[in-house]
Amino acid sequence: MTQITLIPGDGIGPEITEAVKTIFAAAEVPVTWEVENAGITTHNAGGLLIPVSLIASLNKNRVALKGPITTPVGGGFKSINVTLRQMFDLYQNVRPAKSTVGIETPFKFVDIVLFRENTEGLYSGLEFYDERHGIADAIARVTKDGCDKICRAAFEYARKHKRKKVTVVHKANILKLAGSLFINSAKTIAPEYPEITLDDKIIDNMCMQLVNKPEQFDVVVTTNLFGDILSDLCAGLVGGLGVVAGANIGKDMAIFEAVHGSAPDIAGKGIANPTALLRSALMMLHHINEHEHANRIEAALEETFKHQEQCTGDLGGKASTQEFAQNVISHLQ
Ligand code: NAD
């Protein structure tokens, strides 16, 4: 049995983590959950936004599955998600987006794995407000080390998974120093991977190309803010935020979580699609070398998508979150 830290999160988080737990229990996946929460839930209960017990659990288990956590817009506290990624140097945010049989979209052959730098750039937290002059600064600091690490991670993934191309997305035409540091890092590393083609796109062109001809992209690597936005765009190409997974990976720790947020518009209604978190949990199973369990659940999930009425409302079905989980279980071989 592998012990995993489970962070239910808030909004739809508790509903979808419950669905994943139900499916894992039915599939007899050899993991145990150590439940620790964070954010507004622990704060409202009189505790810290990131409790000491959560940090201890992460340090001990080194692997976590995390539901979404709300971050107040404007004032309020710093994002728990960004804080955890920076605290444990989870510098890779890996977000695959792949077309799935049964999930109808205008695109049939999307298969993109996006590598988003996860700790630097505009999310560095370097913000300053000069009240007297009404000037707000947000510093998009990138480091050579940070650029090298995420670009190398993308190339290593491409090699391991026999992918053909890595596209570097940047804005080096305007961001002369920070943008150039990123693309130069990719250009320096690329010759070590002669079997992989290096391609580069300016972010604005990338957005247009993605909605026009997404099949041309394979592995994509980019900075923090661009990656955050592009991964939602990629989600839209393959069925929406309800179906796309993600992983925050560092040197010796990984936190798996969906691309989507806490979805306050549907929270508590029992209608959220648990697929995105389930797929994140399957990435987690591959990470801990439980490949057979991951493949078995993935096959059941894919079978479920072939029956639209068994899916949740975002995919045109009628199932609740828990009914969807039961439908996946019914297809377990
Ligand atoms: P969101 O991703 O929560 O929701 C965007 C839209 O997608 C909504 O219409 C929502 O109903 C839908 N959606 C999302 N997940 C779904 C699912 N599983 N099934 C069906 N529909 C789904 O984005 P938002 O509304 O901009 O953000 C809400 C909150 O989440 C904010 O506080 C934001 O900071 C936070 N957030 C957290 C994370 C995280 O914890 N990693 C990531 C993104 C946003």
Side-chain angles (χ1 to χ4, degrees):
M1 287 279 177
T2 306
Q3 182 157 276
I4 308 287
T5 302
L6 180 67
I7 308 168
D10 55 50
I12 60 171
E15 303 161 49
I16 56 176
T17 46
E18 204 47 47
V20 171
K21 279 170 71 182
T22 305
I23 295 166
F24 270 37
E28 298 180 355
V29 177
V31 301
T32 56
W33 306 106
E34 187 167 65
V35 180
E36 291 286 344
N37 221 340
I40 202 71
T41 312
T42 50
H43 184 70
N44 287 348
L48 296 170
L49 287 164
I50 302 185
V52 175
S53 55
L54 169 60
I55 295 171
S57 175
L58 290 168
N59 273 323
K60 179 178 53 158
N61 297 328
R62 316 305 296 180
V63 182
L65 181 66
K66 177 185 160 298
I69 294 178
T70 303
T71 304
V73 174
F77 51 84
K78 184 182 171 186
S79 163
I80 305 301
N81 308 305
V82 172
T83 306
L84 287 173
R85 293 164 188 169
Q86 290 175 342
M87 185 182 282
F88 295 107
D89 193 21
L90 305 173
Y91 63 94
Q92 305 176 33
N93 192 186
V94 187
R95 294 180 156 182
K98 190 172 180 186
S99 305
T100 307
V101 175
I103 300 181
E104 291 303 319
T105 81
F107 309 101
K108 296 272 168 289
F109 306 107
V110 179
D111 186 3
I112 295 168
V113 181
L114 187 128
F115 279 72
R116 162 193 175 193
E117 200 294 320
N118 215 17
T119 58
E120 303 191 334
L122 265 173
Y123 293 64
S124 296
L126 301 170
E127 282 199 289
F128 308 98
Y129 183 49
D130 174 348
E131 201 166 352
R132 197 155 77 93
H133 299 99
I135 299 172
D137 292 313
I139 297 179
R141 176 173 293 168
V142 295
T143 64
K144 183 172 181 309
D145 185 50
C147 296
D148 285 351
K149 281 192 329 193
I150 191 66
C151 289
R152 187 166 293 286
F155 276 99
E156 279 296 314
Y157 178 95
R159 171 167 284 171
K160 185 172 174 199
H161 296 273
K162 303 204 177 340
R163 313 281 297 216
K164 300 266 178 295
K165 184 166 75 169
V166 172
T167 301
V168 188
V169 180
H170 61 89
K171 190 72 186 174
N173 52 327
I174 304 298
L175 304 172
K176 299 290 181 192
L177 298 177
S180 298
L181 193 61
F182 196 78
I183 188 165
N184 287 340
S185 170
K187 282 183 176 164
T188 307
I189 287 167
E192 294 176 43
Y193 302 83
E195 75 279 23
I196 298 158
T197 304
L198 173 67
D199 169 37
D200 76 273
K201 290 271 176 295
I202 294 173
I203 178 68
D204 23 356
N205 180 25
M206 180 71 182
C207 292
M208 193 274 290
Q209 300 276 344
L210 269 172
V211 294
N212 252 355
K213 207 171 162 240
E215 317 78 49
Q216 67 183 293
F217 296 108
D218 190 345
V219 174
V220 172
V221 61
T222 190
T223 49
N224 208 336
L225 177 68
F226 295 159
D228 194 6
I229 297 168
L230 284 184
S231 50
D232 269 39
L233 195 164
C234 290
L237 301 174
V238 296
L241 283 167
V243 301
V244 282
N248 305 287
I249 301 177
K251 194 161 153 268
D252 57 3
M253 188 186 290
I255 300 180
F256 295 82
E257 65 177 339
V259 171
H260 66 69
S262 54
D265 52 339
I266 56 168
K269 296 183 178 166
I271 57 171
N273 189 344
T275 299
L277 189 69
L278 179 60
R279 282 181 159 166
S280 308
L282 300 184
M283 288 175 81
M284 181 190 81
L285 288 185
H286 285 297
H287 179 79
I288 60 170
N289 292 320
E290 291 289 353
H291 304 294
E292 272 183 34
H293 286 283
N295 292 340
R296 181 167 168 248
I297 297 172
E298 180 65 42
L301 185 60
E302 284 179 7
E303 193 55 39
T304 312
F305 293 137
K306 293 179 188 157
H307 307 270
Q308 197 184 40
E309 75 288 354
Q310 295 187 5
C311 296
T312 45
D314 56 317
L315 298 181
K318 290 200 164 36
S320 67
T321 307
Q322 284 305 325
E323 285 166 349
F324 180 83
Q326 291 303 330
N327 293 335
V328 174
I329 290 167
S330 73
H331 294 297
L332 279 172
Q333 295 288 328

